[in-house]
């Protein structure tokens, strides 16, 4: 059984690596789903040789890395936006004050402390500055409140091709804005395709308690990480 | 929906027993597909409303195993799957007929 657990740990690590290729909001669930299959493979009575079962479990885990790229990189970002939100379009620098005012106003309404509200305004400004830098058209900013967090979503027509944008580490050149935003916000989801890019920022509301500790997948995949 | 070989195999497994709870690993074995092919396909089918998934807690005697997720065809999924497989069957029959006939004809 102990050699089993070592194989399981290795397989879980491979699955964790695959899950890092997925958007934040679906990582956790996929990790749980895929690792839950491991005992069934390792104890499969249909395979006679234990070595075969181990090989199959590891192949199963490793192949998710390939599959993760083909999974829809979205949990349909536009469907969960609620009616209590605000929306503003931007096409140039002149629209910055309007966007800032909207975010600040909604953050205040939602009960976000003033310092965090400023952080959120800065984050949104960084994202729309990116949009204006890399695309010729503007975009759309939405803000709304969910149960225990405030969400801002920026949609534009760009397509992020630079892989360093996905990395959580600070890139040597460029993309500092996105890095900064990741440091400030509790969660950053990015969906990008040739049809456009959606960036969604999450900031937990005060009094939301420790929910985020296990509900929000950290980049280390702290939830259910192999010991 | 484009019916590819792997997709066809998955649909066949689902159609073989509509009420069965299909777990990822069992589906992989039955359809002979690697995980990196199966799960993106299931996600696509689910997004199209043809398949639903459900978490199922494992029995106590299984030694505290985590809940697993199983997949089932929806009513619409079963209808579409039957239709697609029937069409694919018809298409392959037409191909064998088409290629068969000129071959015998040219012998004269």
């Amino acid at each position: 059984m102990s050699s089993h657990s070592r194989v399981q740990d290795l397989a879980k690590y491979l699955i964790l690596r695959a899950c890092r290729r997925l958007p934040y909001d679906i990582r956790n669930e996929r990790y749980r789903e895929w690792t839950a299959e491991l005992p069934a493979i390792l104890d499969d009575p249909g395979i006679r040789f234990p070595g075969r079962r181990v090989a199959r479990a590891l192949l199963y885990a490793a192949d998710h890395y390939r599959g993760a790229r083909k999974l829809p990189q979205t949990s349909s970002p536009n469907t969960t936006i609620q009616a209590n939100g605000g929306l503003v379009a931007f096409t140039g620098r002149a629209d910055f004050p309007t966007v800032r005012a909207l975010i600040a106003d909604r953050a205040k309404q939602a009960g976000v402390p003033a310092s965090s509200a400023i952080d959120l305004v800065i984050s949104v400004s960084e994202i729309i500055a990116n949009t204006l830098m890399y695309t010729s058209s503007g975009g759309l900013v939405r803000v709304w409140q969910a149960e225990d967090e405030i969400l801002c979503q920026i949609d534009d027509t760009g397509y992020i091709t630079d892989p360093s944008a996905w990395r959580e580490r600070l890139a040597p050149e460029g993309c500092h804005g996105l890095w900064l935003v990741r440091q400030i916000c509790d969660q950053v989801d990015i969906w990008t395709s040739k049809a456009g890019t959606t960036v969604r920022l999450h900031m937990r509301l005060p009094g939301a308690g420790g929910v985020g500790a296990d509900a929000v997948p950290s980049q280390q995949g702290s939830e259910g990480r192999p010991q | 929906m484009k019916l590819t070989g792997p997709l066809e195999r998955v649909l066949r497994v689902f159609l073989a027993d509509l009420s069965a709870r299909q777990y990822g690993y069992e589906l992989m074995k039955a359809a002979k597909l690697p995980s990196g092919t199966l799960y993106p396909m299931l996600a696509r089918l689910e997004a199209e409303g043809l398949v639903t998934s459900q978490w199922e807690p494992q029995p106590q005697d299984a030694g505290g195993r985590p809940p697993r997720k199983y997949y089932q065809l929806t009513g619409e999924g079963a209808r579409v799957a039957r239709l697609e497989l029937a069409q694919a069957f018809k298409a392959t029959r037409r191909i064998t007929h088409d290629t068969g006939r000129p071959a015998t004809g040219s012998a004269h």
Side-chain angles (χ1 to χ4, degrees), chain B residues 55-79:
Chain B
W55 285 97
E56 186 188 57
Q58 294 299 291
Q60 287 297 316
D61 54 294
R65 281 189 184 168
R68 285 175 87 184
K69 207 173 186 182
Y70 66 84
Y71 294 84
Q72 274 177 320
L73 278 187
T74 60
E76 171 70 4
R79 196 185 64 79

Side-chain angles (χ1 to χ4, degrees), chain A residues 29 33-34 36-37 39-41 43-44 56 60 63-64 66-67 70-71, chain B residues 24-25 28-29 34-37 39-40 43 55 65-69 71:
Chain A
E29 186 170 347
E33 178 185 2
W34 291 342
E37 296 296 308
I41 305 176
D43 294 329
D44 186 354
R56 183 167 292 190
Y60 160 84
D63 200 45
H64 279 304
R66 183 175 64 89
K70 292 190 284 173
L71 274 176
Chain B
Y25 178 52
M28 277 173 57
K29 274 205 295 184
S35 53
T37 304
Y39 281 94
W55 285 97
R65 281 189 184 168
R68 285 175 87 184
K69 207 173 186 182
Y71 294 84

Side-chain angles (χ1 to χ4, degrees), chain B residues 22-106:
Chain B
Q22 306 286 358
Y23 298 96
Y25 178 52
E26 274 70 27
L27 269 174
M28 277 173 57
K29 274 205 295 184
K32 296 195 168 54
L33 289 176
S35 53
T37 304
L38 177 73
Y39 281 94
M41 194 180 289
L42 287 175
R44 221 179 61 218
L45 290 172
E46 199 171 5
E48 285 170 13
L50 305 180
V51 157
T52 59
S53 64
Q54 200 97 49
W55 285 97
E56 186 188 57
Q58 294 299 291
Q60 287 297 316
D61 54 294
R65 281 189 184 168
R68 285 175 87 184
K69 207 173 186 182
Y70 66 84
Y71 294 84
Q72 274 177 320
L73 278 187
T74 60
E76 171 70 4
R79 196 185 64 79
V80 171
R82 283 207 191 90
L83 207 72
E84 289 286 337
L85 292 180
Q87 272 172 1
F89 180 66
K90 254 194 263 168
T92 50
R93 272 197 10 165
R94 199 163 49 234
I95 288 166
T96 50
H97 275 260
D98 286 352
T99 54
R101 219 170 276 148
T104 51
S106 63

